[in-house]
Amino acid sequence: MVNFTRRRVIQIAGGFALTGVAGRWLAVPEAFAGQNGVPAEEVDDFLAVSRKLIMRDELDGNLANALVHASKLALDSFTEQLTRLKALLAEQPALLDGEQLDFGAAFAAEEALARNVLSGWYTGVVGSGDQAIYVTHINALSNQVVADKLVPTSFSYGPCGSWHRAP
């Protein structure tokens, strides 16, 4: 009787494990196919604008997809503003030559979007106030810039409470 019970428990546990794995496998293609409802062209435009603003060619496409999705939720008329910002940067690349973003009063909306794009990449947060959406922490560029020297904040270096002692 004991062997039957153990065997039965193992079979049930195996069934649950397989069901969970199968469920994940079935959900993955569905999740990637829709890309959170973000068209690939929009992600490509976002990456093109981001590369110009950040001055980096290598940016994470998955993070870009998440940032676009969050931007569409947090920012009004994001798609239209992104199209205008892309066109503006193509027409006037000198706008990015200064040490700080300053597009002038005529392009205040495009400058605000550029600042939101930069904020999303560097802090992992899109929008502000009640509309802010937290997208990432570890993958934020601010953490990648210092990753060779610092462990991302909120990660423990040692045993609990070790951080309060002077090094």
Side-chain angles (χ1 to χ4, degrees), residues 14 54 81 88:
I54 297 171
Q81 288 184 21
L88 177 64

Side-chain angles (χ1 to χ4, degrees), residues 82-161:
L82 181 64
T83 303
R84 287 195 308 268
L85 178 59
K86 182 181 178 192
L88 177 64
L89 294 178
E91 292 171 7
Q92 299 183 35
L95 289 173
L96 299 177
D97 290 344
E99 288 186 28
Q100 294 184 345
L101 285 181
D102 186 12
F103 292 179
F107 303 111
E110 288 81 1
E111 181 181 332
L113 180 61
R115 290 182 185 279
N116 271 304
V117 169
L118 287 168
S119 176
W121 281 105
Y122 277 96
T123 67
V125 178
V126 173
S128 61
D130 292 341
Q131 298 298 318
I133 297 176
Y134 181 85
V135 178
T136 187
H137 176 68
I138 295 174
N139 295 328
L141 289 181
S142 61
N143 284 328
Q144 292 178 6
V145 168
V146 297
D148 61 334
K149 302 288 184 212
L150 300 174
V151 175
T153 55
S154 82
F155 287 85
S156 177
Y157 293 87
C160 187

